[in-house]
Amino acid sequence: MGDDVPLAGLIGLLIVLLMLSAFFSGSETALMSLNRYQLRHKAREGHRGARIAERLLKRPDRLIGLILLGNNLVNFTAASLVAVIAFEIGGQPAVALGTLFLTLAVLIFSEAAPKTLAALHPERLAFPAAMVYYPLLKITYPIVWLTNAASNGVLYLLGVRQSNSDLQSLTREELRTVVHEAGARISTRYREMLLSILDLEKVTVDDVMVPHNEIVGIDLDIERQEIESIISASQHTRLPVYRDTIDQVVGILHMRRLANLAQKELTADYLLQLLDEPYFVPEGTPLSTQLVQFQRRRERTALVVDEYGDIQGIVTLEDILEEIVGEFTTDPADDEVDVIDEGSDTFLVDAAANIREINRSQDWELPIDGPKTINGLIIEKLETIPKPGTCLKINGYPIEIVETDDNRIRSVRVGQKIETSAPTPS
């Protein structure tokens, strides 16, 4: 009976060692599986375990050194203990069986099971483990430092250099993936807004500007009655003022300055005194850049010019904001119907419509990396102005020309996209 007590104690100690091995293995996986951005968020909110875990992960070589030191010490001690227990139970032949038993026990109970649990619930295990490791690292720091110095020296000889990167930064496309994967954590509306912000760099002022031929402005050379008519009919808060053509713009008129103006004072000479300097931007400017420029210059309206200085269109701060949050103006011009559903999966489309807006409203996939309008897209494809009745297919969408005039296509009929499947090998 006296011999049974030490043996039972050895078995109990072996169980404790296996549990410690499971702790080291599982906590290592949990700490390394933490989402670094969620960890930083929790740390900033004041979560104690998250703050300690973030501090430990700033030097992962020290943390891993501590975990490996503890894990190897426990496993080697357990191996020696199993040899003693097996020898006492069955002599030398039992030692080989004890080694096999320990291998299976460590593999199942101290490696596979705790690491799987840690991978599924990293925060649940990592935060308590971090509060254990932090003081333990202070106590064992000299040993861990020597171990790391030796291992880093070996890596240095092999040409591996340590980087001081903290939390790795995300590219724009990786951030898009994070927003997509957020799922129900972010509402669909907010997710679309975030993605639109990320896309501002891809979209240029050319994509959202009011084109040259649709700009509403005031010609100083026309009669006063016509100027009054344009002002009274305008739904815009700012109007470009020009002489003869929009390419000879002289300034931007803020309609608020006309609020207390007597009708008799509304002359071309007096209007010139109310104008702000026109602000010009080059075509092709990304919306992200233009948004910053509007903010820095405290401007809301810009005239888009090409390389020759000719005005191509006008872009406003509201146009850029609508790219992020969607349409929010009550401009009657926005009420014009660009797409009419004719039934039978066909749509009558105004050829002057912007392709990006059509894609967004109809959930289509017409190409947007070239011309900005349906008219321009078809002319680029055919390299001529087609006659009514001409049919073609663009990106899988069957298109029929409905109406044209001398210099442009006026309307087209678009059918549902035809998916082309790869031929099945016989």
Side-chain angles (χ1 to χ4, degrees):
M1 187 70 176
D3 292 337
D4 290 340
V5 175
L7 185 60
L10 291 175
I11 293 174
L13 180 59
L14 177 62
I15 292 173
V16 171
L17 290 174
L18 290 175
M19 292 173 63
L20 286 173
S21 179
F23 167 75
F24 285 120
S25 299
S27 59
E28 178 186 11
T29 300
L31 285 162
M32 298 305 161
S33 300
L34 285 173
N35 183 307
R36 300 299 176 90
Y37 298 95
Q38 290 181 354
L39 175 63
R40 175 167 286 183
H41 175 68
K42 285 182 178 293
R44 288 177 176 174
E45 285 187 333
H47 192 289
R48 185 164 178 263
R51 287 205 311 268
I52 295 175
E54 185 182 31
R55 194 175 303 171
L56 289 171
L57 288 170
K58 286 182 178 179
R59 286 300 302 268
D61 56 331
R62 293 177 181 174
L63 177 60
I64 292 173
L66 173 63
I67 294 173
L68 291 179
L69 177 65
N71 206 8
N72 285 315
L73 181 62
V74 166
N75 287 340
F76 290 146
T77 304
S80 302
L81 197 57
V82 164
V84 173
I85 294 172
F87 189 80
E88 286 194 17
I89 292 175
Q92 194 165 354
V95 174
L97 291 175
T99 303
L100 178 62
F101 163 78
L102 179 65
T103 301
L104 291 174
V106 169
L107 182 63
I108 296 171
F109 299 107
S110 300
E111 292 290 336
K115 286 189 173 184
T116 302
L117 177 63
L120 294 174
H121 306 285
E123 292 184 359
R124 191 179 300 177
L125 296 179
F127 295 157
M131 289 187 278
V132 174
Y133 283 137
Y134 190 72
L136 193 59
L137 182 61
K138 298 289 186 182
I139 297 170
T140 61
Y141 182 76
I143 303 174
V144 173
W145 184 87
L146 287 173
T147 304
N148 286 340
S151 62
N152 291 336
V154 173
L155 292 175
Y156 186 87
L157 292 175
L158 295 174
V160 179
R161 305 290 185 267
Q162 278 191 321
S163 64
N164 294 323
S165 60
D166 184 9
L167 297 181
Q168 295 181 354
S169 59
L170 292 175
T171 65
R172 187 176 67 243
E173 293 306 317
E174 288 169 341
L175 190 53
R176 285 179 60 87
T177 302
V178 171
V179 174
H180 272 298
E181 294 297 324
R185 296 184 180 184
I186 305 177
S187 69
T188 303
R189 182 62 181 151
Y190 290 150
R191 188 160 62 245
E192 289 176 352
M193 288 173 60
L194 289 171
L195 293 174
S196 296
I197 292 172
L198 293 174
D199 284 339
L200 284 184
E201 212 168 287
K202 296 180 179 179
V203 186
T204 67
V205 291
D206 311 47
D207 296 312
V208 301
M209 69 181 183
V210 176
H212 179 281
N213 62 327
E214 295 180 16
I215 295 177
V216 176
I218 298 174
D219 184 355
L220 292 175
D221 293 335
I222 61 177
E223 297 294 329
R224 191 180 72 177
Q225 290 77 9
E226 293 183 64
I227 294 177
E228 293 172 358
S229 176
I230 292 172
I231 291 173
S232 61
S234 174
Q235 299 295 321
H236 303 287
T237 56
R238 290 171 176 81
L239 290 178
V241 178
Y242 57 91
R243 291 191 182 277
D244 190 29
T245 68
I246 191 63
D247 289 317
Q248 300 179 37
V249 65
V250 294
I252 303 295
L253 174 65
H254 197 305
M255 303 297 282
R256 184 176 56 190
R257 295 176 180 170
L258 300 177
N260 299 319
L261 187 65
Q263 188 173 4
K264 63 181 180 180
E265 297 175 339
L266 191 59
T267 62
D269 291 336
Y270 191 77
L271 281 179
L272 285 172
Q273 302 174 30
L274 305 177
L275 302 183
D276 294 323
E277 286 253 349
Y279 170 39
F280 300 97
V281 299
E283 60 181 353
T285 303
L287 291 191
S288 56
T289 302
Q290 189 54 52
L291 183 60
V292 172
Q293 292 299 323
F294 273 144
Q295 185 178 27
R296 286 178 179 172
R297 297 176 60 97
R298 299 186 180 277
E299 298 277 359
R300 299 177 67 94
T301 304
L303 295 161
V304 182
V305 296
D306 62 12
E307 59 183 316
Y308 303 106
D310 295 331
I311 293 176
Q312 303 299 304
I314 188 169
V315 62
T316 66
L317 178 61
E318 287 77 10
D319 295 328
I320 300 178
L321 295 179
E322 285 183 354
E323 280 296 306
I324 300 174
V325 302
E327 297 289 336
F328 59 84
T329 63
T330 55
D331 185 353
D334 295 335
D335 297 334
E336 295 178 6
V337 181
D338 291 328
V339 181
I340 300 175
D341 188 348
E342 296 183 321
S344 303
D345 292 333
T346 61
F347 301 85
L348 188 64
V349 182
D350 182 355
N354 185 281
I355 298 174
R356 294 184 71 258
E357 294 179 2
I358 293 294
N359 282 348
R360 182 180 298 177
S361 64
Q362 301 299 316
D363 198 23
W364 289 352
E365 297 175 347
L366 292 170
I368 58 174
D369 53 354
K372 309 303 179 185
T373 65
I374 302 289
N375 171 63
L377 181 64
I378 295 174
I379 291 177
E380 181 187 63
K381 180 79 172 178
L382 299 179
E383 297 183 348
T384 185
I385 299 176
K387 295 181 178 180
T390 303
C391 297
L392 71 156
K393 185 185 291 186
I394 298 179
N395 210 28
Y397 293 92
I399 299 176
E400 177 189 355
I401 312 303
V402 176
E403 184 182 0
T404 66
D405 56 26
D406 293 336
N407 59 355
R408 70 185 182 98
I409 304 168
R410 300 188 66 86
S411 61
V412 298
R413 182 173 288 110
V414 182
Q416 287 292 338
K417 185 175 183 179
I418 300 173
E419 299 291 347
T420 56
S421 57
T424 307
S426 56

